[in-house]
Amino acid sequence: MNIVFASHNQHKTEEVRQILGSKWHLRNLHDLGQTEEIPETSDTLQGNALQKAQYVFDKYHVDCFADDTGLEVEALGGAPGVYSARYAGEHCTYADNVNKLLLEMKGKTNRRACFKTVVTLILNGETHYFEGRVDGTIIETPRGTDGFGYDPVFMPDGYTETFAEMSAEEKNKISHRGRAMAKLVEFLG
Ligand code: IMP
């Protein structure tokens, strides 16, 4: 069965392809020839995930899903949240974002945070949502080289390693995206 992941990210596509298994033939935006970025102008994760999936459905008329993720930090009132990708500015790097976060967190004793992912699926023209969440803390000094984004400063509850110190397999088992995708896969069967 065919399904499209509304993403340009090959790394994420491969991850999802493995989770879905051989029953599903997964294509992403590159495979469709969609080179342009899809607008993400909502101020919620759910809104952005829907916007991306709806764009693909309207343009290509295929079953598809999209994801959106944010890091919510308690002491910062939930920031960077839906703006996690561009926290330090429009064309910033992952390192810029981590540095900005550590600066904002300087001297803060409450270091609780969580990652949230929303996946929106449009199947046979109907919309479904799946959510995944992982709680943890923001550490003071980055550790580890694997992963991406805020991984070097996020330590999930119950672990002494950051996401950037874990193998991809270990991270996927407990991560926000891994959990949301697992729900999608269960639904798809
Ligand atoms: P996206 O919606 O998956 O593109 O995620 C938005 C932003 O959240 C990314 O640019 C990263 O900065 C951050 N992010 C998403 N997932 C992760 C993760 O698994 N680890 C660390 N940072 C992440």
Side-chain angles (χ1 to χ4, degrees):
M1 284 176 281
N2 292 305
I3 197 146
V4 170
F5 182 23
S7 170
H8 281 112
N9 188 321
Q10 296 289 15
H11 177 83
K12 278 204 259 175
T13 306
E14 216 33 67
E15 198 178 290
V16 177
R17 189 168 279 135
Q18 278 177 18
I19 303 174
L20 276 175
S22 56
K23 194 164 147 193
W24 290 89
H25 177 235
L26 183 71
R27 290 180 297 161
N28 68 11
L29 295 178
H30 286 295
D31 301 322
L32 292 183
Q34 169 73 33
T35 48
E36 254 173 74
E37 286 294 328
I38 299 175
E40 288 178 53
T41 53
S42 172
D43 58 4
T44 64
L45 298 176
Q46 187 162 331
N48 278 334
L50 175 63
Q51 197 173 9
K52 286 185 274 187
Q54 192 72 53
Y55 180 101
V56 169
F57 182 74
D58 290 345
K59 186 163 172 183
Y60 298 98
H61 312 288
V62 287
D63 290 330
C64 60
F65 61 92
D67 71 334
D68 202 39
T69 293
L71 172 69
E72 295 182 3
V73 181
E74 263 186 29
L76 304 178
V82 71
Y83 305 109
S84 293
R86 28 202 164 118
Y87 189 38
E90 208 44 55
H91 300 291
C92 63
T93 63
Y94 289 141
D96 294 336
N97 281 336
V98 167
N99 288 336
K100 170 155 183 183
L101 177 63
L102 292 179
L103 206 63
E104 298 286 336
M105 291 296 285
K106 225 179 169 103
K108 298 258 194 290
T109 48
N110 176 6
R111 305 195 68 95
R112 302 289 305 154
C114 71
F115 276 112
K116 284 184 189 167
T117 295
V118 176
V119 172
T120 300
L121 167 72
I122 303 181
L123 186 72
N124 302 320
E126 277 181 25
T127 305
H128 307 267
Y129 292 99
F130 306 92
E131 292 184 19
R133 171 184 176 137
V134 59
D135 289 273
T137 49
I138 302 299
I139 62 167
E140 289 179 15
T141 312
R143 275 175 23 197
T145 51
D146 283 346
F148 70 103
Y150 301 91
D151 279 350
V153 290
F154 185 84
M155 191 182 293
D157 288 347
Y159 292 79
T160 53
E161 296 168 305
T162 66
F163 268 166
E165 293 175 303
M166 294 181 177
S167 67
E169 199 185 6
E170 209 177 347
K171 177 187 162 187
N172 290 340
K173 259 191 250 166
I174 58 163
S175 81
H176 43 300
R177 194 169 30 259
R179 286 175 172 160
M181 289 296 174
K183 288 182 188 170
L184 169 79
V185 169
E186 198 187 331
F187 179 84
L188 288 174

PDB file of all heavy atoms in Angstrom, residues 95-119:
ATOM      1  N   ALA A  95      23.243  24.377  16.634  1.00  0.00           N
ATOM      2  CA  ALA A  95      24.116  24.864  17.713  1.00  0.00           C
ATOM      3  C   ALA A  95      23.664  26.245  18.197  1.00  0.00           C
ATOM      4  O   ALA A  95      23.679  26.523  19.407  1.00  0.00           O
ATOM      5  CB  ALA A  95      25.557  24.909  17.232  1.00  0.00           C
ATOM      6  N   ASP A  96      23.238  27.109  17.260  1.00  0.00           N
ATOM      7  CA  ASP A  96      22.736  28.439  17.650  1.00  0.00           C
ATOM      8  C   ASP A  96      21.536  28.293  18.588  1.00  0.00           C
ATOM      9  O   ASP A  96      21.421  29.003  19.592  1.00  0.00           O
ATOM     10  CB  ASP A  96      22.253  29.235  16.421  1.00  0.00           C
ATOM     11  CG  ASP A  96      23.369  29.583  15.456  1.00  0.00           C
ATOM     12  OD1 ASP A  96      24.527  29.642  15.888  1.00  0.00           O
ATOM     13  OD2 ASP A  96      23.057  29.780  14.263  1.00  0.00           O
ATOM     14  N   ASN A  97      20.638  27.372  18.249  1.00  0.00           N
ATOM     15  CA  ASN A  97      19.437  27.159  19.073  1.00  0.00           C
ATOM     16  C   ASN A  97      19.797  26.661  20.464  1.00  0.00           C
ATOM     17  O   ASN A  97      19.246  27.130  21.468  1.00  0.00           O
ATOM     18  CB  ASN A  97      18.514  26.138  18.398  1.00  0.00           C
ATOM     19  CG  ASN A  97      17.703  26.750  17.270  1.00  0.00           C
ATOM     20  OD1 ASN A  97      17.478  27.958  17.247  1.00  0.00           O
ATOM     21  ND2 ASN A  97      17.267  25.919  16.346  1.00  0.00           N
ATOM     22  N   VAL A  98      20.732  25.704  20.516  1.00  0.00           N
ATOM     23  CA  VAL A  98      21.151  25.153  21.813  1.00  0.00           C
ATOM     24  C   VAL A  98      21.795  26.257  22.652  1.00  0.00           C
ATOM     25  O   VAL A  98      21.492  26.411  23.839  1.00  0.00           O
ATOM     26  CB  VAL A  98      22.123  23.962  21.607  1.00  0.00           C
ATOM     27  CG1 VAL A  98      22.806  23.597  22.923  1.00  0.00           C
ATOM     28  CG2 VAL A  98      21.375  22.761  21.040  1.00  0.00           C
ATOM     29  N   ASN A  99      22.642  27.073  22.020  1.00  0.00           N
ATOM     30  CA  ASN A  99      23.306  28.155  22.763  1.00  0.00           C
ATOM     31  C   ASN A  99      22.302  29.160  23.293  1.00  0.00           C
ATOM     32  O   ASN A  99      22.400  29.616  24.429  1.00  0.00           O
ATOM     33  CB  ASN A  99      24.334  28.871  21.865  1.00  0.00           C
ATOM     34  CG  ASN A  99      25.543  27.988  21.629  1.00  0.00           C
ATOM     35  OD1 ASN A  99      25.840  27.097  22.437  1.00  0.00           O
ATOM     36  ND2 ASN A  99      26.222  28.196  20.515  1.00  0.00           N
ATOM     37  N   LYS A 100      21.322  29.493  22.480  1.00  0.00           N
ATOM     38  CA  LYS A 100      20.297  30.445  22.941  1.00  0.00           C
ATOM     39  C   LYS A 100      19.523  29.850  24.118  1.00  0.00           C
ATOM     40  O   LYS A 100      19.265  30.532  25.113  1.00  0.00           O
ATOM     41  CB  LYS A 100      19.340  30.803  21.801  1.00  0.00           C
ATOM     42  CG  LYS A 100      18.153  31.585  22.311  1.00  0.00           C
ATOM     43  CD  LYS A 100      17.487  32.460  21.306  1.00  0.00           C
ATOM     44  CE  LYS A 100      16.375  33.204  22.037  1.00  0.00           C
ATOM     45  NZ  LYS A 100      15.566  34.041  21.279  1.00  0.00           N
ATOM     46  N   LEU A 101      19.170  28.577  23.995  1.00  0.00           N
ATOM     47  CA  LEU A 101      18.422  27.923  25.072  1.00  0.00           C
ATOM     48  C   LEU A 101      19.231  27.943  26.379  1.00  0.00           C
ATOM     49  O   LEU A 101      18.697  28.279  27.448  1.00  0.00           O
ATOM     50  CB  LEU A 101      18.088  26.482  24.669  1.00  0.00           C
ATOM     51  CG  LEU A 101      17.365  25.638  25.711  1.00  0.00           C
ATOM     52  CD1 LEU A 101      15.987  26.215  26.033  1.00  0.00           C
ATOM     53  CD2 LEU A 101      17.218  24.188  25.247  1.00  0.00           C
ATOM     54  N   LEU A 102      20.510  27.595  26.304  1.00  0.00           N
ATOM     55  CA  LEU A 102      21.338  27.556  27.521  1.00  0.00           C
ATOM     56  C   LEU A 102      21.480  28.943  28.138  1.00  0.00           C
ATOM     57  O   LEU A 102      21.496  29.098  29.361  1.00  0.00           O
ATOM     58  CB  LEU A 102      22.710  26.943  27.218  1.00  0.00           C
ATOM     59  CG  LEU A 102      22.683  25.461  26.883  1.00  0.00           C
ATOM     60  CD1 LEU A 102      24.083  24.931  26.581  1.00  0.00           C
ATOM     61  CD2 LEU A 102      22.042  24.633  28.008  1.00  0.00           C
ATOM     62  N   LEU A 103      21.529  29.957  27.291  1.00  0.00           N
ATOM     63  CA  LEU A 103      21.618  31.337  27.774  1.00  0.00           C
ATOM     64  C   LEU A 103      20.338  31.726  28.520  1.00  0.00           C
ATOM     65  O   LEU A 103      20.369  32.280  29.620  1.00  0.00           O
ATOM     66  CB  LEU A 103      21.827  32.258  26.564  1.00  0.00           C
ATOM     67  CG  LEU A 103      22.526  33.574  26.802  1.00  0.00           C
ATOM     68  CD1 LEU A 103      23.953  33.339  27.290  1.00  0.00           C
ATOM     69  CD2 LEU A 103      22.567  34.389  25.503  1.00  0.00           C
ATOM     70  N   GLU A 104      19.198  31.408  27.912  1.00  0.00           N
ATOM     71  CA  GLU A 104      17.894  31.721  28.530  1.00  0.00           C
ATOM     72  C   GLU A 104      17.712  30.964  29.846  1.00  0.00           C
ATOM     73  O   GLU A 104      16.996  31.408  30.733  1.00  0.00           O
ATOM     74  CB  GLU A 104      16.740  31.342  27.586  1.00  0.00           C
ATOM     75  CG  GLU A 104      16.718  32.077  26.270  1.00  0.00           C
ATOM     76  CD  GLU A 104      16.254  33.525  26.398  1.00  0.00           C
ATOM     77  OE1 GLU A 104      15.547  33.828  27.362  1.00  0.00           O
ATOM     78  OE2 GLU A 104      16.643  34.332  25.521  1.00  0.00           O
ATOM     79  N   MET A 105      18.354  29.794  29.942  1.00  0.00           N
ATOM     80  CA  MET A 105      18.182  28.925  31.116  1.00  0.00           C
ATOM     81  C   MET A 105      19.220  29.195  32.208  1.00  0.00           C
ATOM     82  O   MET A 105      19.185  28.563  33.260  1.00  0.00           O
ATOM     83  CB  MET A 105      18.286  27.447  30.697  1.00  0.00           C
ATOM     84  CG  MET A 105      17.139  26.967  29.851  1.00  0.00           C
ATOM     85  SD  MET A 105      15.576  27.015  30.738  1.00  0.00           S
ATOM     86  CE  MET A 105      15.776  25.598  31.817  1.00  0.00           C
ATOM     87  N   LYS A 106      20.125  30.123  31.948  1.00  0.00           N
ATOM     88  CA  LYS A 106      21.182  30.413  32.911  1.00  0.00           C
ATOM     89  C   LYS A 106      20.582  30.797  34.268  1.00  0.00           C
ATOM     90  O   LYS A 106      19.738  31.681  34.332  1.00  0.00           O
ATOM     91  CB  LYS A 106      22.054  31.566  32.391  1.00  0.00           C
ATOM     92  CG  LYS A 106      23.515  31.281  32.557  1.00  0.00           C
ATOM     93  CD  LYS A 106      24.399  32.387  32.036  1.00  0.00           C
ATOM     94  CE  LYS A 106      25.796  32.087  32.505  1.00  0.00           C
ATOM     95  NZ  LYS A 106      26.652  31.540  31.504  1.00  0.00           N
ATOM     96  N   GLY A 107      21.003  30.108  35.312  1.00  0.00           N
ATOM     97  CA  GLY A 107      20.545  30.427  36.664  1.00  0.00           C
ATOM     98  C   GLY A 107      19.176  29.875  37.009  1.00  0.00           C
ATOM     99  O   GLY A 107      18.698  30.022  38.137  1.00  0.00           O
ATOM    100  N   LYS A 108      18.492  29.248  36.058  1.00  0.00           N
ATOM    101  CA  LYS A 108      17.141  28.701  36.329  1.00  0.00           C
ATOM    102  C   LYS A 108      17.279  27.356  37.044  1.00  0.00           C
ATOM    103  O   LYS A 108      18.054  26.495  36.623  1.00  0.00           O
ATOM    104  CB  LYS A 108      16.380  28.484  35.016  1.00  0.00           C
ATOM    105  CG  LYS A 108      16.143  29.750  34.220  1.00  0.00           C
ATOM    106  CD  LYS A 108      14.730  30.231  34.405  1.00  0.00           C
ATOM    107  CE  LYS A 108      14.313  31.283  33.408  1.00  0.00           C
ATOM    108  NZ  LYS A 108      14.931  32.599  33.544  1.00  0.00           N
ATOM    109  N   THR A 109      16.513  27.205  38.125  1.00  0.00           N
ATOM    110  CA  THR A 109      16.597  25.932  38.862  1.00  0.00           C
ATOM    111  C   THR A 109      15.595  24.920  38.324  1.00  0.00           C
ATOM    112  O   THR A 109      15.850  23.723  38.346  1.00  0.00           O
ATOM    113  CB  THR A 109      16.349  26.149  40.379  1.00  0.00           C
ATOM    114  OG1 THR A 109      15.189  26.956  40.518  1.00  0.00           O
ATOM    115  CG2 THR A 109      17.543  26.831  41.023  1.00  0.00           C
ATOM    116  N   ASN A 110      14.453  25.392  37.832  1.00  0.00           N
ATOM    117  CA  ASN A 110      13.499  24.470  37.210  1.00  0.00           C
ATOM    118  C   ASN A 110      13.938  24.215  35.776  1.00  0.00           C
ATOM    119  O   ASN A 110      13.843  25.097  34.926  1.00  0.00           O
ATOM    120  CB  ASN A 110      12.089  25.068  37.233  1.00  0.00           C
ATOM    121  CG  ASN A 110      11.086  24.182  36.497  1.00  0.00           C
ATOM    122  OD1 ASN A 110      11.414  23.076  36.068  1.00  0.00           O
ATOM    123  ND2 ASN A 110       9.867  24.666  36.354  1.00  0.00           N
ATOM    124  N   ARG A 111      14.412  23.006  35.509  1.00  0.00           N
ATOM    125  CA  ARG A 111      14.945  22.691  34.171  1.00  0.00           C
ATOM    126  C   ARG A 111      14.074  21.650  33.456  1.00  0.00           C
ATOM    127  O   ARG A 111      14.493  21.016  32.512  1.00  0.00           O
ATOM    128  CB  ARG A 111      16.405  22.257  34.285  1.00  0.00           C
ATOM    129  CG  ARG A 111      17.243  23.318  35.026  1.00  0.00           C
ATOM    130  CD  ARG A 111      18.720  23.144  34.880  1.00  0.00           C
ATOM    131  NE  ARG A 111      19.225  23.384  33.548  1.00  0.00           N
ATOM    132  CZ  ARG A 111      19.736  24.536  33.095  1.00  0.00           C
ATOM    133  NH1 ARG A 111      19.781  25.604  33.868  1.00  0.00           N
ATOM    134  NH2 ARG A 111      20.209  24.631  31.861  1.00  0.00           N
ATOM    135  N   ARG A 112      12.814  21.526  33.918  1.00  0.00           N
ATOM    136  CA  ARG A 112      11.888  20.546  33.312  1.00  0.00           C
ATOM    137  C   ARG A 112      11.515  20.960  31.875  1.00  0.00           C
ATOM    138  O   ARG A 112      11.309  22.149  31.596  1.00  0.00           O
ATOM    139  CB  ARG A 112      10.584  20.454  34.125  1.00  0.00           C
ATOM    140  CG  ARG A 112      10.735  20.073  35.566  1.00  0.00           C
ATOM    141  CD  ARG A 112      11.135  18.644  35.759  1.00  0.00           C
ATOM    142  NE  ARG A 112      10.221  17.718  35.100  1.00  0.00           N
ATOM    143  CZ  ARG A 112      10.587  16.496  34.685  1.00  0.00           C
ATOM    144  NH1 ARG A 112      11.826  16.074  34.849  1.00  0.00           N
ATOM    145  NH2 ARG A 112       9.707  15.701  34.122  1.00  0.00           N
ATOM    146  N   ALA A 113      11.436  19.957  31.013  1.00  0.00           N
ATOM    147  CA  ALA A 113      11.078  20.214  29.614  1.00  0.00           C
ATOM    148  C   ALA A 113      10.460  18.963  29.014  1.00  0.00           C
ATOM    149  O   ALA A 113      10.579  17.870  29.577  1.00  0.00           O
ATOM    150  CB  ALA A 113      12.326  20.592  28.820  1.00  0.00           C
ATOM    151  N   CYS A 114       9.774  19.135  27.886  1.00  0.00           N
ATOM    152  CA  CYS A 114       9.299  17.958  27.166  1.00  0.00           C
ATOM    153  C   CYS A 114       9.330  18.221  25.665  1.00  0.00           C
ATOM    154  O   CYS A 114       9.233  19.372  25.224  1.00  0.00           O
ATOM    155  CB  CYS A 114       7.890  17.558  27.608  1.00  0.00           C
ATOM    156  SG  CYS A 114       6.601  18.687  27.073  1.00  0.00           S
ATOM    157  N   PHE A 115       9.510  17.152  24.920  1.00  0.00           N
ATOM    158  CA  PHE A 115       9.343  17.197  23.466  1.00  0.00           C
ATOM    159  C   PHE A 115       7.952  16.683  23.153  1.00  0.00           C
ATOM    160  O   PHE A 115       7.518  15.661  23.708  1.00  0.00           O
ATOM    161  CB  PHE A 115      10.328  16.261  22.759  1.00  0.00           C
ATOM    162  CG  PHE A 115      11.690  16.828  22.514  1.00  0.00           C
ATOM    163  CD1 PHE A 115      12.796  16.325  23.178  1.00  0.00           C
ATOM    164  CD2 PHE A 115      11.877  17.839  21.577  1.00  0.00           C
ATOM    165  CE1 PHE A 115      14.062  16.825  22.926  1.00  0.00           C
ATOM    166  CE2 PHE A 115      13.142  18.341  21.317  1.00  0.00           C
ATOM    167  CZ  PHE A 115      14.235  17.834  21.996  1.00  0.00           C
ATOM    168  N   LYS A 116       7.268  17.360  22.229  1.00  0.00           N
ATOM    169  CA  LYS A 116       5.964  16.876  21.762  1.00  0.00           C
ATOM    170  C   LYS A 116       5.975  16.770  20.245  1.00  0.00           C
ATOM    171  O   LYS A 116       6.471  17.688  19.571  1.00  0.00           O
ATOM    172  CB  LYS A 116       4.860  17.861  22.146  1.00  0.00           C
ATOM    173  CG  LYS A 116       4.460  17.815  23.600  1.00  0.00           C
ATOM    174  CD  LYS A 116       3.309  18.763  23.846  1.00  0.00           C
ATOM    175  CE  LYS A 116       3.040  18.897  25.338  1.00  0.00           C
ATOM    176  NZ  LYS A 116       2.137  20.037  25.624  1.00  0.00           N
ATOM    177  N   THR A 117       5.418  15.687  19.731  1.00  0.00           N
ATOM    178  CA  THR A 117       5.243  15.529  18.284  1.00  0.00           C
ATOM    179  C   THR A 117       3.772  15.297  17.985  1.00  0.00           C
ATOM    180  O   THR A 117       3.117  14.518  18.688  1.00  0.00           O
ATOM    181  CB  THR A 117       6.038  14.312  17.755  1.00  0.00           C
ATOM    182  OG1 THR A 117       7.422  14.560  17.923  1.00  0.00           O
ATOM    183  CG2 THR A 117       5.767  14.069  16.266  1.00  0.00           C
ATOM    184  N   VAL A 118       3.283  15.975  16.966  1.00  0.00           N
ATOM    185  CA  VAL A 118       1.947  15.679  16.456  1.00  0.00           C
ATOM    186  C   VAL A 118       2.095  15.163  15.027  1.00  0.00           C
ATOM    187  O   VAL A 118       2.808  15.770  14.216  1.00  0.00           O
ATOM    188  CB  VAL A 118       1.039  16.933  16.453  1.00  0.00           C
ATOM    189  CG1 VAL A 118      -0.310  16.610  15.812  1.00  0.00           C
ATOM    190  CG2 VAL A 118       0.833  17.440  17.873  1.00  0.00           C
ATOM    191  N   VAL A 119       1.472  14.028  14.754  1.00  0.00           N
ATOM    192  CA  VAL A 119       1.423  13.485  13.392  1.00  0.00           C
ATOM    193  C   VAL A 119      -0.009  13.613  12.900  1.00  0.00           C
ATOM    194  O   VAL A 119      -0.944  13.237  13.612  1.00  0.00           O
ATOM    195  CB  VAL A 119       1.853  11.996  13.367  1.00  0.00           C
ATOM    196  CG1 VAL A 119       1.619  11.388  11.980  1.00  0.00           C
ATOM    197  CG2 VAL A 119       3.318  11.856  13.759  1.00  0.00           C
TER     198      VAL A 119
END
